[in-house]
Amino acid sequence: MIWNGDFETLPRAGMEKLQTERLGKLVDNLYRRVPFYRKKMDEKGVKPHNIQSIKDIQKLPFTTKDEMREVYPYGLLAVDMHEIVEIHTSSGTTGKPVVDAYTAGDIEVWSEVMARTLSTGGTTKHDIVQNAYGYGLFTGGLGVHYGARKIGATVIPISGGNTKRQLAILKDFKTTVLACTPSYSLFLAEGAKEEKFDMSALGIKAGFFGAEPWSDTMRKEIQDKLHLLAIDIYGLTEIIGPGVASECEHQDGLHVFEDHFYPEIIDPQTGRVLPDGEKGELVITTLTKEGTPVLRYRTRDVTYLERSACPCGRTSVRMHRLLGRTDDMLIIRGVNVFPSQIEQVILAVDGVEPHYQLVVERRDQLDELEVQVEMDEKLFSDEIRNLETIERKIESDLYGALNIHTRVKLVEPKSIARSEGKAKRIIDKRKI
Ligand SMILES: [Zn+2]
């Protein structure tokens, strides 16, 4: 279901014209009103009149998360403070957070792109949306909330955590749409199993999962266990929150809402813009944001863009589901490895659960990667279980996929710590 046909199915020429107009306005405004951007543009020797088409975006400077933190809290504001109606921030776990300040117009755009997102999985005003993303400064909760309200659906603002209560509400309130992190959805399925009820009888038709990278194998696992259509959604606080891009029912790449967010892929080392189909770092420019617009933000997310026609009818560019982060990319003996690649391999093996952890150590100057995977209850209780054979098989599959040697260890069910938010997959013990 397409929420806004006018923009979501706009032919390429029309989209580029719109993007060119919007970029021109944005750059003019930032140059006049935000010293942070004026300085960056001056340093790069580019003035607003140099931006004549959307392709000229490559002349503009990048913006990094660290730079945005340096002007904390209000150095990115492009309007007067009294025009700001809401503020969110990034987590700030590794320093000062990035502040995202929204005008009433920004909240309207956020509601619109989230209505488009929830519509991809068929959400209508007749649906009951259980929103298990965290409410608060984190953008997940309110983003989904505004989108569901815009559609006219019923929102249950339960927020994250409290699994027993989530499960009771799923059953009692007849939830039809679930929104949470993908790892938490599996945690809910596990809880349901313990309480001995059948998730398939609940009638949840779609789930909107984001905020962490996940693989197609994990999707299969979620769809099998929760009996729903699992839609991958993408966004980030520095840009707007969720609502930057979403899969459609064909689950073949995420449609970017490019009338508002312009995507580019660059080589993270050189900053060179890469052609469609080539993997690199995703860079986003907010074309319509008023409160805290962002020029060419380096997301550190790794993906690639694709423009082939999608059977759903949307004409927008699609980004492949995230392959990883430039900063959680592990370099093991010189080979680039993303946790999602490992996940893809291990979850295809019978007898293991989608709960795993990667431990990296350096011994005698050599990196060693240990992959700890939980076995399922059945394998664990099997008397003639041949753990070693399975471990060796996974090691050989991993070697086939990644070309690195790993050590695989099957661990007891439920022995790896669960997360109610983003899963922590990597423990890097190397001292370099
Ligand atoms: Zn599509």
Side-chain angles (χ1 to χ4, degrees):
M1 220 191 82
I2 296 177
W3 175 256
N4 190 335
D6 289 352
F7 290 99
E8 293 182 80
T9 63
L10 194 61
R12 182 92 335 241
M15 179 61 79
E16 283 183 12
K17 186 164 169 279
L18 182 69
Q19 290 171 330
T20 294
E21 276 166 29
R22 290 181 167 178
L23 180 68
K25 255 190 177 163
L26 170 75
V27 170
D28 263 345
N29 190 36
L30 288 181
Y31 194 78
R32 275 187 296 113
R33 304 203 60 159
V34 188
F36 171 83
Y37 284 112
R38 183 165 51 237
K39 184 164 166 269
K40 283 172 70 74
M41 284 173 63
D42 284 343
E43 279 167 6
K44 218 163 178 257
V46 52
K47 303 282 179 219
H49 71 261
N50 299 127
I51 308 303
Q52 296 297 330
S53 99
I54 188 66
K55 298 281 172 255
D56 291 333
I57 199 167
Q58 296 186 18
K59 297 176 182 166
L60 292 164
F62 293 116
T63 306
T64 66
K65 187 168 186 152
D66 287 342
E67 289 173 320
M68 291 168 91
R69 283 171 169 157
E70 279 168 24
V71 292
Y72 172 90
Y74 292 138
L76 296 165
L77 272 195
V79 297
D80 291 335
M81 194 63 207
H82 69 85
E83 289 185 59
I84 298 299
V85 299
E86 188 167 320
I87 287 175
H88 288 268
T89 73
S90 63
S91 66
T93 41
T94 51
K96 287 253 189 277
V98 172
V99 175
D100 193 354
Y102 303 69
T103 63
D106 291 331
I107 297 290
E108 189 41 50
V109 167
W110 199 14
S111 309
E112 157 75 20
V113 288
M114 281 309 293
R116 293 184 193 177
T117 297
L118 295 172
S119 297
T120 60
T123 310
T124 69
K125 63 181 178 185
H126 302 292
D127 281 299
I128 299 177
V129 180
Q130 183 155 338
N131 186 8
Y133 282 111
Y135 279 66
L137 287 175
F138 174 62
T139 48
L142 277 165
V144 169
H145 190 101
Y146 290 141
R149 284 292 311 272
K150 176 108 185 159
I151 289 173
T154 308
V155 198
I156 305 173
I158 185 165
S159 198
N162 202 341
T163 303
K164 274 199 180 320
R165 193 158 173 227
Q166 298 274 2
L167 290 169
I169 284 180
L170 275 174
K171 275 198 292 191
D172 300 345
F173 289 15
K174 304 196 169 28
T175 300
T176 56
V177 170
L178 175 67
C180 62
T181 58
S183 51
Y184 190 58
S185 77
L186 286 173
F187 193 53
L188 284 172
E190 229 173 37
K193 207 170 152 204
E194 268 164 32
E195 291 186 19
K196 300 201 171 25
F197 76 86
D198 181 8
M199 294 283 289
S200 66
L202 291 182
I204 310 173
K205 66 178 187 193
F208 294 87
F209 305 116
E212 63 188 17
W214 51 304
S215 63
D216 273 329
T217 330
M218 184 151 167
R219 186 210 307 273
K220 192 177 171 304
E221 200 67 59
I222 292 173
Q223 296 194 147
D224 287 350
K225 287 186 173 163
L226 284 93
H227 301 269
L228 45 70
L229 176 73
I231 298 279
D232 190 4
I233 67 173
Y234 177 75
L236 58 174
T237 303
E238 292 80 1
I239 298 300
I240 195 165
V244 172
S246 173
E247 279 181 340
C248 63
E249 72 274 25
H250 300 285
Q251 301 175 320
D252 184 22
L254 290 78
H255 290 279
V256 181
F257 302 123
E258 57 174 319
D259 47 330
H260 297 288
F261 311 108
Y262 186 80
E264 301 168 89
I265 301 291
I266 63 162
D267 176 327
Q269 258 82 47
T270 63
R272 190 172 62 89
V273 175
L274 299 175
D276 290 347
E278 272 190 44
K279 284 179 205 163
E281 181 179 355
L282 176 66
V283 168
I284 300 173
T285 298
T286 64
L287 293 176
T288 54
K289 207 172 174 190
E290 298 170 337
T292 44
V294 193
L295 272 191
R296 304 190 86 196
Y297 179 67
R298 295 190 56 161
T299 65
R300 294 188 278 188
D301 287 323
V302 178
T303 180
Y304 59 88
L305 298 178
E306 201 185 325
R307 283 174 218 271
S308 62
C310 184
C312 74
R314 290 177 184 82
T315 50
S316 43
V317 62
R318 278 168 292 155
M319 54 180 263
H320 188 271
R321 48 203 326 224
L322 293 193
L323 299 159
R325 308 250 318 150
T326 54
D327 43 8
D328 72 16
M329 181 178 81
L330 279 166
I331 304 178
I332 307 286
R333 301 187 186 189
V335 178
N336 297 349
V337 179
F338 290 107
S340 57
Q341 293 176 292
I342 294 176
E343 181 180 299
Q344 186 86 25
V345 171
I346 54 184
L347 297 192
V349 176
D350 272 347
V352 307
E353 289 286 323
H355 303 289
Y356 63 94
Q357 198 160 274
L358 311 175
V359 185
V360 196
E361 273 179 284
R362 184 163 284 186
R363 286 201 190 100
D364 304 327
Q365 305 303 314
L366 277 180
D367 295 333
E368 289 193 0
L369 174 62
E370 181 172 279
V371 180
Q372 299 172 353
V373 200
E374 282 184 16
M375 51 191 132
D376 63 18
E377 295 285 352
K378 192 165 158 282
L379 178 63
F380 184 59
S381 56
D382 191 349
E383 283 183 15
I384 47 163
R385 60 198 164 120
N386 200 341
L387 298 188
E388 232 174 86
T389 313
I390 298 174
E391 287 170 345
R392 294 301 85 78
K393 180 187 179 318
I394 302 177
E395 283 169 5
S396 120
D397 289 354
L398 282 171
Y399 187 77
L402 306 169
N403 215 13
I404 53 166
H405 290 288
T406 54
R407 193 167 59 243
V408 171
K409 201 169 136 194
L410 288 168
V411 298
E412 285 182 25
K414 304 206 172 54
S415 60
I416 290 172
R418 301 293 193 263
S419 157
E420 290 181 342
K422 300 186 193 194
K424 183 169 166 42
R425 305 287 193 201
I426 301 172
I427 299 174
D428 198 338
K429 297 179 172 171
R430 287 177 291 187
K431 289 184 188 69
I432 298 166

